[in-house]
Every structure is written in structure tokens, then in C-alpha cells.
């Protein structure tokens, strides 16, 4: 039943040779990997105005200067990540760049930041999408967390079906949003030029604003820079592109940056010109849409497009997180399960882990986008700083082409990114302090996992002086665990005789029915007179403890005679999988307990039932 349900939801398995068909064209990659960055214009300008309005309505004039500085940073970051795409085409983005140029600790900081940030990407995107839905349908406000969780599960299921199908499904909402924003900005500017829309700005450009400080400006800038989240996703997912991978990825990044710059600049200009003020129950983008289109059909189409892209923007995280987790797992800093491909050739374990992390964040922060965004921005700009400063070292090392100019571009991006990180910590500390707890914990986890893999590799490595090569055993003792005398027992004893020099049958008896236990012992001796039968009494109805004690004693004696000790656990296997729930799992518990013993080999004898 589970297999059929899985096929219905995810689809039939794909062959490994089908992987080439899963590669992305620029058209589909723009939908799959740019939705996060493009959707951020729905809340980027709002974050700026929310900070500035705390001083006065006149201070909203500064949103134009903040937006201009954000666009400068976008230009520097885009050029920097284009260079990263060509210099490090294997993917991994900031993690690979920081590791190569700054060393493993810096790489782990970048990688850990991005792992957490992709979870925040999903959480912010779906909660923002839910906000857009609630702006249009206020009656749903009480169900914000539930709606967000449902959206995460839907996007997870879509990604488990594979890159090609998820990209195909995302094409419509992403390009629909692009079309609607182009129409809104274009029509809004046309209305301004033709004089149909009056000038409602609270203050003229350049007018002095009483009480305006550099600190407030930097707070607005650090908040508005959330519009640049998701720009790095394309550099992390270069292996997913069609050949030539680097060229296609770089071109997609340039297209995305151009659209993002136009959208962010246009929305900020309209927000200023129309005198839009942030409201708790109506987003800035929604207010612009109302001013430009009125409350007609086109306004609701804009809200639908906004909600759709904010919901699917989470897909950027689902595309980039598994690749980053793969790179970390390849370097032995995450479990090797993240190296495995699922039935649809995607890294399913990474996709599922991301969904679980995002749902956890949504619940913890009660689905509030405003609480998530500062932490979200820190998770982005720490890797930005490390990757762009790493690229400066890269150019000084390789000295290729116009490396001086490229290094200057990276320096500009690194400097602004670092300044943003400082601003975020000093000006938004109440919202970003969890980063200082989460990141050390993540780095500690990385090193513990890495140490484990190094120790395992060292212990499993075969060398000429290894005990595993030179040691020879003289015989084998086999302990067969017996619950009753059945066909399973008979076949297990027969198998034990074929592989062991000395066979012992062990049975655990209880106080509940001593007569039955006595009959079991007698019946066994009649059936197998040449096999030693040991009955261990348990007054506390425990099977595990007496079994372990007996096996430990036998294993110690066998080791003194240079014998191996094998514990054979018989079990019957029902014909249908669902029938397993009708039987206890004693064999499973015994194997789990016995596997903790270093000098005992655990084996299972499975007897398959016919009906």
C-alpha cells in the first residue's frame, strides 16, 4: 500500500541514465532557482519603510537612497557570483569558495549559515505567501501557521518528483508574477507621466528630515537588503544546468539580477511617489496595486501572483539545500545519507530534512515573517562576506585575465556585506541573537560527524600488519535462540550444525507457566538429542538481559579457545508485509541488543511462511 501511495505522489523511479533529462534550461532554471530572489521584492521595500516610518512619514523619502545602495550591492554580488560560477563550476557556492581560499573552518561557517538560511528561505517564503493570501482574505488570519505548513509539504512533494517536473510546475506562477509586476510598474509609471496619478510623497527628494540619523539609515539598509536573499542559489546549483553548465548558470544569474533590479527599483519608486505607508493588515505591494489598478480584477490577479510566487519561492531552498548538503556530506561533515539519490534522481534526504527544519521554524516563530527576516539576512550575508573575500584571495593566487578589476568588484561586495553583518548584529540584535547559538552548535555537529568518519575509516583500513589479515580462528560456536520447538527452530538448528563446530540452544523461561516451559525443554531434547539445551530463568519477564549475559559468558569462553561466537536469531517472515504488525518484534530487539557486543557475530535465520 505504501509503495503504491509513493508511486502516486512521487512517480515511477527513473534510471540513472535518465539524469541528463533532468538538467535545467535557462528558462526553467529562472523559474526554479530565481523565485526566492524575485519574490523578495514583495517584502523588501516594506522592510525599508517599516524602519523609516518609526521616525516620521517624511523619513520615507530616504527609501530611494536606501534602494540605490541595495542596487549597488546587488550589482557587486551578481558579478562576484558570476565569477564564482566559472571558477567553481562543481556547485557549493560560498561553502566551496570559503573552504578553498580561507580554509575548512571558514567554509563550515559559510556552509552552516547557508544550510540554516535555506530553511529560513522556505519559512520566510511561505509565511510571506500566507500574508499575501490573508491580505486578500482576512478571514484566514487565524490559520496562518497551518496554511504555511501545508504549503511547505506541497512544495516538498513537488520536489521529490524531480527537478524537471518541479521546474515545469513552477514556470507558470513565476512568469505570471514577472508579468504582473512588469504591468504594475509600467502602468504605474505611465499613469504618473500622463498625470492621472497625483504626487503624494510626504517629503521631496533631498528635503531635510528632522531627527534622521546614520543609525536609522543603516537599519533601513540592513532590513532592505533582505531583497538580495536567494541570489547565491544559482551558484550552488550549477551541476543542475544543461551543458555548458557554467555559461547557462551565469546567464541565468544575469537575467535574474536585471529583473530583480528593475522590480526593486520600480516598486520603491512607486512606494515613495504614491506616499505608501506600511500597514499591519495590508502589504506595501498590495497598497501599490490598489493605487495603480484599483480594487478590480487586475488587483486580485496581482495578489494571486504574489501569493503564488512567495509560496513557490521556497523552492529555491529545495533546489540549493540538497546540493550544499551533498558537498558537505562528500567532505564528511554531514551524514552520507545526503549523498544518496532518490527514485526521481533528486537528493531526497536533503529535501525532506529541509522541509522538517522549515516547519520547525514556522512553528517556533508563529508564522511571523517580520521575526524571521533579520535572522534570514544574517544567514545570507555571512556567506556573502566569506565567499567574496575568498574570491579576492582567489584572484591574487591565479592572476587570470583582468584579475585586478575582478578583485576590486569582490572587495566592494565583501566590504558592503561585512558592513551589513555588523549592522544586523548591532541594530537588530534582539532578532538575530539565535545565530550566535545555532551556528556554534552546527559547527560542533560538523566536527563530531567528521571525527566519526575519520575514526571509522582508520579502523576499517586494511594493512599488512592488521589483525584482521593475520588472525586465524580454530572453530565456531553457534548459539541458537529458541522460543519454542517449531519448524523455524528445526531449520535454524539444522543451519547452525552446518556452520558451527559447537551448537548451543538457549531458551528463556518465565514464572507464568513452568509446566509449559518444562514441556518445551523435553520436546527439544527429543527432537535434537545431540544439541545442548540451556534454559535461562527470568523472574522479571525480560528476554534481552538474560540472553546478553549468557551470550557474553559463552563468547568469553569461546574466545579463550580461539573460537568465534555466532548468535543465530530465528524468525518467521509473513507472506504479506502488513501482517508483521500482528506479531511481536522480539527478534528485532534481540539483534539490536546483541549488535552492541564486540566479540559476537549476529546472524538471522528467516523462515518464510507460505500463507
Amino acid at each position: 500500500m505504501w509503495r503504491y501511495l509513493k508511486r502516486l505522489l512521487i512517480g515511477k523511479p527513473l534510471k540513472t541514465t535518465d539524469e541528463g533529462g533532468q538538467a535545467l534550461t535557462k528558462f526553467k532554471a529562472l523559474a526554479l532557482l530565481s523565485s526566492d530572489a524575485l519574490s523578495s521584492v514583495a517584502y523588501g521595500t516594506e522592510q525599508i519603510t517599516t524602519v523609516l516610518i518609526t521616525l516620521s512619514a517624511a523619513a520615507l523619502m530616504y527609501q530611494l537612497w536606501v534602494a540605490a545602495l541595495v542596487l549597488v550591492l546587488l550589482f557587486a554580488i551578481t558579478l562576484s557570483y558570476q565569477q564564482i560560477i566559472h571558477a567553481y563550476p562543481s556547485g557549493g557556492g560560498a561553502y566551496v569558495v570559503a573552504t578553498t581560499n580561507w580554509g575548512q573552518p571558514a567554509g563550515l561557517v559559510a556552509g552552516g549559515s547557508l544550510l540554516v538560511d535555506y530553511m529560513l528561505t522556505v519559512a520566510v517564503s511561505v509565511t510571506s505567501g500566507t500574508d499575501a493570501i490573508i491580505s486578500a482574505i482576512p478571514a484566514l488570519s487565524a490559520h496562518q501557521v497551518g496554511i504555511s505548513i501545508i504549503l511547505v509539504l506541497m512544495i516538498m512533494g513537488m520536489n521529490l518528483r524531480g527537478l524537471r517536473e518541479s521546474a515545469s510546475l513552477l514556470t507558470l506562477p513565476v512568469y505570471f508574477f514577472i508579468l504582473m509586476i512588469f504591468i504594475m510598474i509600467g502602468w504605474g509609471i505611465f499613469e504618473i507621466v500622463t498625470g492621472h496619478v497625483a504626487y503624494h510623497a510626504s517629503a521631496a527628494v533631498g528635503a531635510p528630515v528632522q531627527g534622521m540619523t546614520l543609525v536609522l539609515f543603516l537599519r533601513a539598509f540592513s532590513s532592505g537588503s533582505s531583497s538580495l536573499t536567494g541570489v547565491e542559489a544559482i551558484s550552488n546549483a550549477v551541476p543542475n544546468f544543461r551543458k555548458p553548465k557554467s555559461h547557462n548558470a551565469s546567464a541565468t544569474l544575469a537575467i535574474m539580477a536585471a529583473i530583480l533590479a528593475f522590480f526593486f527599483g520600480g516598486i520603491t519608486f512607486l512606494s515613495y511617489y504614491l506616499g505608501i505607508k506600511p500597514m499591519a493588515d495590508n502589504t506595501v505591494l498590495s497598497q501599490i496595486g490598489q493605487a495603480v489598478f484599483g480594487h478590480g480584477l487586475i488587483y486580485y490577479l496581482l495578489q494571486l501572483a504574489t501569493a503564488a510566487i512567495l509560496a513557490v519561492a521556497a523552492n529555491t531552498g529545495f533546489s540549493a539545500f540538497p546540493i550544499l548538503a551533498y558537498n558537505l556530506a562528500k567532505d564528511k561533515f554531514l551524514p552520507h545519507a545526503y549523498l544518496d539519490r532518490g527514485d526521481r534522481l533528486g537528493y531526497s534526504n536533503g529535501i525532506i530534512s529541509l522541509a522538517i527544519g522549515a516547519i520547525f521554524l514556522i512553528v517556533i516563530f508563529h508564522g511571523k515573517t517580520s521575526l524571521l527576516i533579520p535572522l534570514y539576512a544574517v544567514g545570507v550575508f555571512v556567506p556573502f562576506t566569506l565567499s567574496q573575500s575568498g574570491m579576492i584571495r582567489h584572484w591574487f593566487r591565479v592572476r587570470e585575465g583582468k584579475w585586478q578589476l575582478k578583485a576590486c568588484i569582490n572587495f566592494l561586495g565583501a566590504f558592503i556585506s561585512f558592513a551589513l553583518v555588523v549592522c544586523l548584529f548591532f541594530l537588530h540584535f534582539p532578532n538575530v541573537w539565535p545565530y550566535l547559538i545555532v551556528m556554534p552548535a552546527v559547527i560542533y555537529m560538523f566536527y563530531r560527524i567528521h571525527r566519526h568518519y575519520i575514526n571509522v575509516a582508520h579502523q576499517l583500513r586494511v594493512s599488512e600488519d592488521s589483525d584482521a589479515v593475520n588472525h586465524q580462528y580454530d572453530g565456531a560456536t553457534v548459539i541458537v535462540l529458541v522460543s519454542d520447538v517449531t519448524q523455524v527452530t528445526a531449520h535454524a538448528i539444522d543451519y547452525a550444525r552446518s556452520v558451527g563446530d559447537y551448537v548451543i540452544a538457549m531458551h528463556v523461561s518465565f514464572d507464568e507457566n513452568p509446566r509449559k516451559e518444562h514441556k518445551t525443554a523435553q520436546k527439544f531434547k527429543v527432537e535434537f538429542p545431540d544439541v545442548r539445551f540451556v534454559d535461562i530463568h527470568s523472574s522479571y519477564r525480560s528476554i534481552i538481559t538474560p540472553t546478553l549475559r549468557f551470550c557474553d559468558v559463552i563468547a568469553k569462553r569461546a574466545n579463550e579457545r580461539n573460537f568465534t561466537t555466532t548468535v543465530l536469531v530465528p524468525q518467521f517472515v509473513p507472506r504479506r508485509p502488513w501482517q508483521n504488525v500482528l506479531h511481536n518484534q522480539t527478534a528485532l530487539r534481540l539483534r539490536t541488543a546483541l549488535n552492541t557486543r564486540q566479540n559476537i557475530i549476529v546472524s538471522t535465520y528467516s523462515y518464510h511462511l507460505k500463507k
Side-chain angles (χ1 to χ4, degrees):
M1 180 178 174
W2 162 245
R3 186 166 60 248
Y4 292 129
L5 181 61
K6 183 180 179 182
R7 292 290 159 259
L8 177 65
L9 295 175
I10 298 176
K12 66 178 182 179
L14 296 174
K15 296 179 181 178
T16 305
T17 52
D18 293 335
E19 184 177 2
Q22 294 291 300
L24 299 172
T25 62
K26 291 192 289 290
F27 181 80
K28 288 188 174 181
L30 187 64
L32 189 67
L33 299 171
S34 302
S35 53
D36 176 32
L38 295 179
S39 68
S40 63
V41 300
Y43 52 79
T45 300
E46 183 159 13
Q47 293 300 309
I48 297 172
T49 57
T50 301
V51 173
L52 295 174
I53 197 67
T54 57
L55 176 61
S56 65
L60 292 176
M61 178 269 296
Y62 281 93
Q63 66 184 293
L64 297 176
W65 304 115
V66 172
L69 188 55
V70 170
L71 292 177
V72 170
L73 180 58
L74 172 62
F75 176 75
I77 288 175
T78 301
L79 291 180
S80 177
Y81 273 103
Q82 282 187 315
Q83 294 166 12
I84 289 173
I85 287 170
H86 290 290
Y88 301 94
S90 61
Y95 166 67
V96 173
V97 176
T99 300
T100 305
N101 296 287
W102 288 121
Q104 198 67 65
L108 293 179
V109 171
S113 294
L114 284 173
L115 284 180
V116 176
D117 191 68
Y118 287 135
M119 293 181 184
L120 286 162
T121 295
V122 177
V124 168
S125 298
V126 297
T127 54
S128 299
T130 305
D131 288 341
I133 293 172
I134 292 172
S135 292
I137 313 174
L140 296 175
S141 59
H143 306 287
Q144 186 170 17
V145 172
I147 294 171
S148 299
I149 291 173
I150 291 171
L151 289 173
V152 171
L153 294 175
M154 289 173 60
I155 299 169
M156 180 192 75
M158 182 174 64
N159 278 273
L160 289 174
R161 293 187 66 89
L163 276 176
R164 185 170 58 189
E165 291 198 32
S166 59
S168 299
L169 290 169
L170 286 171
T171 299
L172 179 60
V174 171
Y175 285 105
F176 179 46
F177 176 77
I178 291 174
L179 176 63
M180 290 305 301
I181 298 297
F182 265 119
I183 292 173
M184 184 192 75
I185 295 174
W187 185 252
I189 292 174
F190 175 78
E191 292 282 273
I192 291 171
V193 171
T194 56
H196 291 94
V197 173
Y199 178 72
H200 290 291
S202 303
V205 177
V209 177
Q210 188 70 28
M212 187 65 192
T213 63
L214 178 62
V215 171
L216 186 63
F217 181 86
L218 291 176
R219 284 193 63 189
F221 174 55
S222 58
S223 296
S225 296
S226 60
S227 295
L228 305 185
T229 54
V231 173
E232 82 294 338
I234 292 176
S235 69
N236 285 329
V238 177
N240 290 333
F241 281 81
R242 283 188 179 175
K243 296 179 180 178
K245 297 178 183 290
S246 296
H247 172 78
N248 288 332
S250 178
T252 304
L253 178 59
I255 295 169
M256 181 205 70
I259 296 173
L260 176 59
F262 177 74
F263 283 2
F264 181 68
I267 289 171
T268 304
F269 170 75
L270 290 176
S271 171
Y272 162 74
Y273 192 91
L274 298 172
I276 301 296
K277 299 178 179 63
M279 299 172 60
D281 57 350
N282 198 3
T283 65
V284 166
L285 188 62
S286 173
Q287 293 181 64
I288 295 173
Q290 291 170 10
V292 173
F293 299 126
H295 276 279
L297 175 63
I298 301 181
Y299 164 73
Y300 284 102
L301 287 177
L302 172 66
Q303 288 301 97
L304 175 63
T306 304
I309 194 172
L310 283 167
V312 302
N315 205 78
T316 298
F318 279 103
S319 301
F321 181 97
I323 298 293
L324 178 58
Y326 170 87
N327 280 285
L328 283 161
K330 186 175 64 176
D331 293 338
K332 297 180 170 53
F333 288 103
L334 278 181
H336 284 170
Y338 290 107
L339 298 174
D340 299 335
R341 290 182 179 271
D343 288 347
R344 303 289 293 180
L345 298 179
Y347 296 106
S348 303
N349 293 322
I351 293 169
I352 294 170
S353 299
L354 177 59
I356 293 171
I359 290 172
F360 178 76
L361 288 169
I362 289 169
V363 173
I364 290 295
F365 288 93
H366 308 291
K368 300 296 183 183
T369 307
S370 58
L371 298 178
L372 290 163
I373 283 180
L375 191 59
Y376 180 35
V378 169
V380 171
F381 285 106
V382 168
F384 276 6
T385 304
L386 290 170
S387 63
Q388 293 185 71
S389 59
M391 286 302 294
I392 297 173
R393 297 197 66 180
H394 170 81
W395 296 125
F396 273 89
R397 188 175 66 252
V398 301
R399 297 176 182 268
E400 293 177 351
K402 300 178 180 178
W403 64 271
Q404 297 96 334
L405 176 61
K406 295 176 181 178
C408 288
I409 294 171
N410 292 134
F411 174 79
L412 176 63
F415 177 77
I416 300 178
S417 297
F418 178 72
L420 268 171
V421 172
V422 174
C423 289
L424 285 164
F425 275 110
F426 278 96
L427 303 177
H428 299 272
F429 188 76
N431 298 110
V432 302
W433 66 263
Y435 182 89
L436 299 177
I437 296 176
V438 172
M439 278 312 301
V442 171
I443 299 300
Y444 176 74
M445 177 192 72
F446 285 158
Y447 278 113
R448 285 298 301 268
I449 292 172
H450 188 71
R451 189 183 311 149
H452 169 76
Y453 281 128
I454 296 300
N455 290 337
V456 168
H458 177 72
Q459 294 176 70
L460 296 182
R461 190 177 296 114
V462 177
S463 59
E464 293 183 0
D465 57 347
S466 172
D467 291 339
V469 175
N470 300 323
H471 190 73
Q472 298 293 328
Y473 293 106
D474 297 329
T477 297
V478 182
I479 304 171
V480 183
L481 306 184
V482 176
S483 61
D484 202 352
V485 182
T486 63
Q487 287 286 343
V488 184
T489 306
H491 283 76
I493 292 293
D494 187 47
Y495 172 74
R497 285 167 168 167
S498 70
V499 298
D501 299 294
Y502 182 48
V503 178
I504 305 172
M506 196 211 79
H507 174 74
V508 178
S509 60
F510 304 138
D511 291 329
E512 298 171 353
N513 197 341
R515 184 176 299 178
K516 177 185 174 183
E517 304 295 357
H518 182 66
K519 286 184 178 180
T520 299
Q522 286 186 323
K523 187 176 180 181
F524 184 90
K525 291 175 182 177
V526 171
E527 295 290 335
F528 312 102
D530 58 330
V531 176
R532 178 185 171 190
F533 182 84
V534 178
D535 185 4
I536 306 294
H537 181 73
S538 174
S539 299
Y540 296 97
R541 301 162 305 285
S542 170
I543 295 177
I544 304 296
T545 302
T547 299
L548 289 175
R549 288 176 179 171
F550 177 78
C551 292
D552 285 340
V553 171
I554 297 300
K556 182 178 179 181
R557 293 176 181 174
N559 189 56
E560 292 171 354
R561 295 189 299 159
N562 217 23
F563 271 43
T564 62
T565 303
T566 299
V567 178
L568 187 63
V569 184
Q571 68 175 17
F572 61 84
V573 180
R575 184 178 178 185
R576 302 185 186 280
W578 68 265
Q579 294 170 339
N580 281 298
V581 301
L582 304 178
H583 306 281
N584 61 44
Q585 303 299 316
T586 305
L588 176 62
R589 290 187 287 120
L590 282 167
R591 287 197 301 272
T592 302
L594 289 164
N595 280 331
T596 63
R597 288 342 198 222
Q598 294 185 12
N599 55 349
I600 293 176
I601 302 166
V602 183
S603 181
T604 304
Y605 183 86
S606 298
Y607 183 85
H608 293 264
L609 300 177
K610 302 286 191 296
K611 298 180 181 178

